[in-house]
Every structure is written in structure tokens, then in C-alpha cells.
Amino acid sequence: LRYTARQLFAAPAVGKLLAVAAVALPIVAVGGLAYRRAAGDPDCSWQEALGRTYAVLNNCPGSSVESERSRAADVVLHLVYLAGLFTFAVVLGIVTDDISTQVDKVRCGNYPVVEKDHTVLLNWNHQTVPVLKQMALARAESGGQLFRGPVVVLADRDRMDMQEEIFEELEGSGLRVITRSGNPAKPPEQKRA
């Protein structure tokens, strides 16, 4: 069961939402059956009972759990409403988590650089930061005429580590540095930079 739950949460958003729907449908079915019996009204059809529980479960506009036919029907709809709050919280959590994951992918991503007129610095060693400092100094001394575009560093190293080290050393220098992780000896990786 734990493994299945982990697989479910690793699935894309559509799969997760389908799983929530798979949980919500039995709630509607059982809730509709319980509501029909609790209402005690022979005129209450299956369609009406299922529609009522669906509307309460999803908190549809115009649906209310007040003024029911009987106290038992009122209790059933309140329980369905509480299950609806839970399913809404799960859906909200899924959507929020997927949006957060996509934002992190973009922020930490290794997407192709779309800049023009930029300088590419291939690989990383102990001289990379001093070279970047020299480039920043040259840019400042030329009044912004040199290195107008950003500098892109492509190295076989973690992108966030490079970004952090560059930020610490070049903060306030005016030189914009973009990092990409990849093998600088491979042409397809170079094209991304």
C-alpha cells in the first residue's frame, strides 16, 4: 500500500487528479445510497440522491446541507460535505505541489540560454571566478561597452553550486552571469549555452 501511494504521488498531476476522482466517485455512490435511505422519502430518486451528494461533496453553488427531509439525511450530507473538504484539500495540495515543482525546475533548470551577444565561458576551475572578476572590472572600466551581454558559464559541475559561488564573489559587480551544467566538450551541450 505504501509503495502504491508513493507511485501515485510520483505520477503527473493528471494521474493524481484521476486518483482523487476515483476516491470521490465511491463517496458519491455510498453517500447517495445513504442519503436516499436516510431521507425516507419514496419520491427521492437515485438521480436526485446522487446529484444531491455530488453537489454537496463538491460544494457546488446553490447546494446546502440545511433544511433536509430528516435528521438522518442531514447527518449523511454533513459527512459527505466533510469528505468534500478533504478531497478539495487534496486537490489543492496536488496543484500547489505541481506548481511549486515546476517553478523549482525553471529556477534550477538547465534550459537553453536564449540570450544574444553573450560571452560563453567553458568549464570550471580555480581560475573561473578570477576571470569573471576581470570581466566585471573590464566592463566597469569601459563604461559598459565590454561584455554588454551576460556571461554564460557551462561546466561539468552542479549548476546551483556554481551560481552560489559566483554570487558570493561577484555580488554588486554589475556583470550578469548565467550558469548551465553540462559537458563543455560536447557540441549539443555547447548549443544550450
Side-chain angles (χ1 to χ4, degrees):
L1 183 62
R2 286 184 192 174
Y3 179 72
T4 305
R6 285 184 187 144
Q7 280 185 317
L8 177 65
F9 288 112
V14 174
K16 293 175 194 173
L17 294 175
L18 287 175
V20 171
V23 170
L25 288 176
I27 292 172
V28 169
V30 170
L33 174 67
Y35 176 75
R36 188 166 186 243
R37 288 197 178 166
D41 185 359
D43 294 334
C44 182
S45 68
W46 277 106
Q47 184 177 2
E48 182 185 350
L50 291 174
R52 184 86 173 101
T53 54
Y54 174 82
V56 169
L57 178 73
N58 294 305
N59 201 15
C60 293
S63 66
S64 172
V65 291
E66 297 173 4
S67 67
E68 278 308 311
R69 301 169 189 203
S70 70
R71 179 79 120 178
D74 195 36
V75 169
V76 168
L77 287 183
H78 275 86
L79 291 174
V80 169
Y81 178 76
L82 289 175
L85 288 177
F86 175 73
T87 56
F88 178 73
V90 170
V91 168
L92 187 63
I94 288 169
V95 170
T96 303
D97 182 55
D98 282 350
I99 289 172
S100 176
T101 300
Q102 292 303 321
V103 167
D104 284 345
K105 281 183 182 178
V106 168
R107 192 170 51 84
C108 300
N110 228 5
Y111 298 105
V113 175
V114 293
E115 300 285 338
K116 299 275 186 212
D117 300 325
H118 59 285
T119 305
V120 178
L121 190 61
L122 297 176
N123 221 344
W124 185 279
N125 62 28
H126 67 282
Q127 292 296 321
T128 302
V129 173
V131 166
L132 289 171
K133 285 180 179 179
Q134 284 294 321
M135 293 170 89
L137 183 63
R139 183 177 191 277
E141 287 179 355
S142 71
Q145 296 301 313
L146 293 174
F147 306 111
R148 288 183 185 170
V151 176
V152 178
V153 179
L154 175 66
D156 199 6
R157 189 173 172 201
D158 182 62
R159 181 178 180 273
M160 293 310 290
D161 290 344
M162 289 188 289
Q163 197 79 22
E164 190 175 301
E165 191 171 336
I166 290 168
F167 180 75
E168 287 174 9
E169 297 290 332
L170 294 173
E171 185 177 8
S173 68
L175 185 68
R176 190 165 152 239
V177 181
I178 301 170
T179 58
R180 291 294 181 262
S181 184
N183 186 344
K186 293 185 177 178
E189 306 260 339
Q190 291 172 3
K191 284 183 181 180
R192 284 190 305 116

